[in-house]
């Protein structure tokens, strides 16, 4: 099975490349700029076709949540038009597409975890562009699997785990928002889930599971709880530690509004594919230890 993933420098693409190397019979090829530039739709179809995929994973995205408020045209060009072109390319090649979306398609007003049938109502440009991307993907290829995920972190790129470790090396106390709730999700777990689902879709064993599924870490917390677990794990492992001070969203104003509750239920994915993410604490501990032992060359400054 040959998987072509867009977004060569992203956390999910890097995690897929690593996971693919450990799987017999699986080849993962990552493509990105300049060969594939979602802001330039004319590059997409030829770049995807050159990869000769059995499955396309659409992971490239514009993810600068606050900056998107100032660059709505670019956000929509990448996350909506570009995602649609990637999916159109997969359809032309007669292969399925697995597309990554986000918890930010919801407004956070629900009391409880969101399921796939809940009404979407994004609060900002980023969420709106990703929702438009979901719609473009669904329209371009009936063989689509849209995976909404949340609070993604990994040993690669820039993310909350690495930020907390970096800040703790320089500060005694870190202020972190305590009134936004969600599911921290390891990109390594996302990669494992994608490979699991892709094998089923490639073998036509999961054809009935096309459509929208939520895929997030098991368990829930707020950002400050996430930060505490990261830093407590770091201290036990001999790494940096700092106190975490709870603050409210209003104490940390950002250009884009965030949902107060973006918890996702991944029960549908578990039922469709027989795969459930580990508890977020377990996955976080593994990545913190990996970062501290230097197994990831990009280190904490990446």
């Amino acid at each position: 099975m040959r998987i072509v993933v867009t977004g060569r420098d992203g956390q999910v693409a890097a995690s897929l490349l690593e996971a693919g190397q450990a799987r017999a019979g699986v080849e993962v090829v990552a493509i990105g700029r300049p060969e594939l530039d979602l802001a330039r739709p004319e590059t997409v179809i030829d770049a995807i076709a050159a990869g000769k995929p059995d499955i396309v994973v659409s992971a490239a995205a514009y993810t600068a949540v606050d900056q998107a408020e100032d660059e709505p045209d670019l956000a929509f060009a990448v996350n909506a038009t570009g995602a649609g072109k990637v999916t159109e390319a997969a359809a032309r090649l007669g292969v399925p597409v697995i597309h990554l979306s986000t918890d930010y398609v919801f407004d956070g007003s629900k009391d409880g975890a969101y399921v796939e049938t809940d009404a979407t109502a994004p609060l900002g440009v980023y969420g709106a562009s990703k929702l438009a991307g979901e719609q473009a993907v669904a329209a371009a290829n009936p063989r689509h699997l849209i995976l909404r995920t949340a609070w993604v972190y990994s040993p690669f790129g820039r993310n909350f785990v690495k930020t907390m470790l970096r800040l703790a090396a320089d500060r005694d106390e870190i202020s972190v928002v305590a009134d936004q709730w969600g599911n921290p999700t390891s990109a390594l777990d996302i990669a494992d889930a994608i490979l699991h689902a892709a094998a089923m879709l490639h073998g036509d064993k999961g054809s009935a599971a096309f459509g929208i599924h939520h895929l997030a870490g098991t368990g829930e917390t707020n950002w400050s709880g996430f930060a505490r677990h990261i830093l407590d794990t770091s201290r036990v492992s001999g790494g940096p530690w700092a106190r975490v001070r709870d603050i409210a969203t209003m104490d940390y104003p950002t250009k884009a509004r965030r949902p107060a509750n973006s918890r996702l239920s991944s029960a549908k994915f578990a039922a469709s594919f027989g795969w459930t993410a580990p508890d977020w604490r377990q996955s976080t501990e593994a990545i913190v230890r990996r970062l501290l032992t230097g197994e990831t060359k990009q280190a904490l400054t990446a």
Side-chain angles (χ1 to χ4, degrees), residues 124-241:
V125 170
Y126 168 70
S129 69
K130 291 297 288 181
L131 179 59
E134 291 184 7
Q135 296 162 348
V137 166
N141 188 347
R143 299 176 70 199
H144 65 268
L145 174 60
I146 295 170
L147 300 178
R148 291 176 180 152
T149 190
W151 296 23
V152 178
Y153 63 94
S154 73
F156 311 108
R158 297 181 180 181
N159 56 71
F160 186 77
V161 170
K162 294 173 78 173
T163 296
M164 289 299 103
L165 293 174
R166 176 173 52 81
L167 291 177
D170 297 324
R171 304 182 186 180
D172 295 326
E173 182 177 89
I174 306 171
S175 298
V176 185
V177 169
D179 55 0
Q180 295 175 22
W181 291 79
N183 313 96
T185 310
S186 163
L188 301 181
D189 294 336
I190 294 172
D192 187 54
I194 287 174
L195 291 178
H196 185 85
M200 293 181 65
L201 297 178
H202 181 54
D204 289 327
K205 295 178 182 178
S207 297
F210 287 120
I212 296 175
H213 289 67
H214 292 171
L215 176 64
T218 298
E220 61 190 50
T221 189
N222 55 28
W223 286 110
S224 64
F226 189 16
R228 284 191 179 88
H229 192 67
I230 292 164
L231 298 178
D232 287 347
T233 301
S234 173
R235 179 165 60 175
V236 169
S237 304
W241 180 85

